[in-house]
């Protein structure tokens, strides 16, 4: 009788533990990991990526390559590797591919990629992109590019870290995530165009692109607050992408979502001016997060000390929450619009 009772106790404990584990896994959402994206860590990374040693990160030049080496070292520290099918963290982008009319010849350069494999639908890929190049040096002055796009670059590192923490706890994304730092954006969106034409994974398996380009400052249209973000392109190919972004913002970050530059008649044509566009052209639902133009845009005064790190963290958290939902929802988002 005692043996039966002991077995019953053990069995009950086993069932209870198993149920608790299932409940924990079911309850896991972005809120468990979103706070790992911290202003102080973003600052630490950005003072390096946009530091003077990187000499403005011009495409294919030593400063950009040094910045790339830093990114790779951080991914290695996190335990995040390059994607399957690649031989290292680099996708080489040849000089000839970036040739444009009478523009100055660029050196060979590289996209940098890191990868977290999905636990249930690994063949479906979510891309999170940011360009890590800037414009280099002019007349001996360093154009640090802290906001453009050092801010997006370091946001990717923090987002990747959050997903890795989830994976360590058995709550990694159901779909795979490709963290893609692209080159040559400043000279014509070259790196993202190269990836879209030479994808490592079939584009039909790429569910969306979340592109982050300039999220560390406020513009002249929002002088009293940094609690906003411009959202561009979210409704062009998938109504679900647009709705999901609004839902996760309401739940987690409560930023003002400004759609000024999503206007089809936007005279500045911002939609066509960052790397998401090369994914959207291929029919991949794409969303672009952007803080707008400020007085230091493309000037040597775009330095890390002018970044508003609280805003950078909150905007990166929104991108993470959106990525979490896209990577973990039951069905991939539908393409139900024509891109116009």
């Amino acid at each position: 009788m005692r043996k039966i009772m002991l077995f019953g106790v053990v069995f009950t404990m086993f069932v209870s533990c198993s149920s608790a584990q299932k409940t924990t896994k079911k309850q896991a959402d972005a809120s468990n990991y979103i706070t790992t994206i911290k202003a102080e860590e973003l600052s630490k990374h950005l003072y390096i990526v946009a530091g003077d040693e990187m000499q403005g990160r011009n495409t294919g030049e030593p400063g950009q390559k040094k910045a790339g080496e830093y990114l790779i070292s951080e991914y290695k520290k996190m335990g995040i590797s390059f994607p399957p099918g690649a031989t290292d963290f680099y996708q080489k982008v040849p000089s000839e591919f970036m040739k444009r009319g009478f523009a100055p010849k660029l050196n060979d350069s590289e996209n940098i990629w890191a990868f977290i494999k999905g636990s249930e639908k690994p063949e479906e890929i979510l891309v999170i992109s940011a360009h890590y190049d800037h414009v280099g040096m002019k007349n001996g002055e360093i154009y640090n590019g802290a906001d453009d796009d050092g801010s997006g670059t370091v946001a990717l590192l923090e987002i990747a870290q959050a997903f890795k923490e989830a994976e360590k706890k058995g709550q990694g994304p159901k779909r795979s995530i490709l963290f893609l730092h692209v080159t040559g954006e400043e000279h014509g969106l070259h790196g993202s165009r190269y990836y879209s034409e030479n994808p490592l994974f079939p584009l039909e398996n790429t569910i969306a692109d979340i592109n982050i380009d300039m999220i560390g400052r406020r513009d002249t249209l929002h002088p009293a607050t940094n609690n906003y973000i411009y959202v561009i392109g979210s409704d062009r190919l998938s109504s679900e992408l647009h709705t999901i972004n609004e839902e996760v913002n309401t739940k987690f970050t409560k930023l003002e979502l400004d759609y000024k530059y999503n206007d089809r008649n936007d005279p500045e044509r911002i939609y066509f001016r960052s790397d998401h566009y090369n994914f959207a052209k291929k029919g991949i639902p794409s969303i672009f997060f952007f803080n707008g133009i400020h007085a230091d845009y493309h000037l040597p005064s775009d330095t890390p000390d002018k970044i508003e790190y609280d805003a950078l963290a909150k905007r990166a958290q929104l991108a993470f929450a959106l990525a979490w939902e896209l990577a973990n929802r039951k069905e991939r988002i539908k393409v139900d619009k024509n891109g116009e």
Side-chain angles (χ1 to χ4, degrees):
M1 188 70 178
R2 186 179 178 188
K3 286 183 179 179
I4 294 174
M5 289 177 64
L6 181 61
F7 173 77
V9 171
V10 173
F11 180 74
T12 302
M13 290 174 63
F14 173 76
V15 171
S16 298
C17 290
S18 298
S19 299
Q21 288 175 351
K22 287 180 181 177
T23 302
T24 301
K25 189 160 187 176
K26 184 178 181 182
Q27 290 177 345
D29 65 14
S31 63
N32 297 72
Y33 305 100
I34 198 168
T35 56
T36 68
I37 299 173
K38 300 180 184 297
E40 56 267 31
E41 292 181 10
L42 289 160
S43 175
K44 176 182 78 79
H45 291 312
L46 190 54
Y47 269 89
I48 296 170
V49 169
D52 286 351
E53 286 187 13
M54 305 307 176
Q55 299 180 321
R57 306 187 309 279
N58 197 19
T59 302
E61 294 187 1
Q64 190 206 25
K65 293 180 185 293
K66 189 171 185 177
E69 289 168 2
Y70 175 75
L71 299 176
I72 291 169
S73 71
E74 289 301 304
Y75 282 117
K76 287 180 176 178
K77 285 180 189 176
M78 294 180 214
I80 299 174
S81 189
F82 50 84
T87 56
D88 55 29
F89 283 93
Y90 295 109
Q91 181 185 37
K92 294 180 180 178
V93 181
S95 172
E96 189 63 25
F97 181 85
M98 297 184 283
K99 186 176 180 180
R100 289 185 73 184
F102 295 101
K105 186 177 186 295
L106 300 171
N107 296 325
D108 291 343
S109 191
E110 303 85 22
N111 292 331
I112 292 171
W113 47 28
F115 187 80
I116 292 180
K117 185 178 179 180
S119 60
E120 294 183 16
K121 300 182 179 183
E123 73 286 352
E124 294 186 9
I125 311 296
L126 170 65
V127 176
I128 309 177
S129 61
H131 72 91
Y132 75 108
D133 65 310
H134 194 52
V135 298
M137 298 178 64
K138 299 177 184 179
N139 301 317
E141 283 193 286
I142 298 170
Y143 287 61
N144 299 85
D147 193 28
D148 186 13
D149 183 31
S151 60
T153 299
V154 300
L156 257 64
L157 289 178
E158 284 293 291
I159 293 167
Q161 177 183 271
F163 274 110
K164 188 63 180 180
E165 288 301 311
E167 185 184 55
K168 287 177 182 176
K169 295 181 179 178
Q171 295 167 350
K174 293 178 182 178
R175 295 176 177 83
S176 297
I177 302 178
L178 180 68
F179 301 94
L180 187 63
H181 299 265
V182 292
T183 187
E185 189 270 355
E186 299 287 8
H187 296 279
L189 313 184
H190 294 309
S192 56
R193 181 168 59 90
Y194 189 81
Y195 181 84
S196 71
E197 295 178 13
N198 302 274
L200 186 61
F201 303 102
L203 291 183
E204 58 266 27
N205 290 354
T206 302
I207 66 164
D209 171 50
I210 300 172
N211 186 50
I212 308 171
D213 189 353
M214 297 177 60
I215 61 165
R217 296 280 296 270
R218 73 180 75 182
D219 68 358
T220 55
L221 300 178
H222 298 82
T225 182
N226 60 23
N227 194 54
Y228 75 94
I229 191 70
Y230 290 109
V231 178
I232 303 165
S234 60
D235 63 346
R236 303 247 180 168
L237 284 156
S238 173
S239 54
E240 285 183 303
L241 177 58
H242 181 79
T243 300
I244 292 165
N245 184 62
E246 292 198 328
E247 289 173 348
V248 297
N249 178 62
T250 298
K251 183 176 181 180
F252 295 107
T253 47
K254 297 178 174 57
L255 289 160
E256 175 198 341
L257 303 182
D258 193 324
Y259 294 102
K260 170 181 167 60
Y261 294 117
N262 197 47
D263 188 330
R264 274 51 170 180
N265 297 313
D266 169 29
E268 297 186 56
R269 293 173 61 80
I270 297 291
Y271 174 69
F272 304 94
R273 290 170 52 185
S274 193
D275 294 296
H276 63 282
Y277 182 61
N278 283 316
F279 290 92
K281 282 196 304 185
K282 300 288 187 179
I284 296 169
S286 301
I287 186 170
F288 170 26
F289 292 120
F290 175 56
N291 57 214
I293 304 296
H294 48 73
D296 300 307
Y297 175 69
H298 275 209
L299 292 175
S301 48
D302 181 11
T303 49
D305 58 297
K306 294 184 178 178
I307 297 296
E308 298 184 54
Y309 289 97
D310 60 335
L312 174 53
K314 201 168 185 181
R315 293 158 179 170
Q317 288 172 350
L318 173 60
F320 168 73
L322 174 60
W324 180 281
E325 177 61 26
L326 294 178
N328 287 297
R329 64 192 286 107
K330 185 176 180 180
E331 303 294 337
R332 63 184 285 179
I333 57 172
K334 293 180 175 62
V335 176
D336 57 2
K337 295 194 172 185
N338 62 10
E340 295 179 0

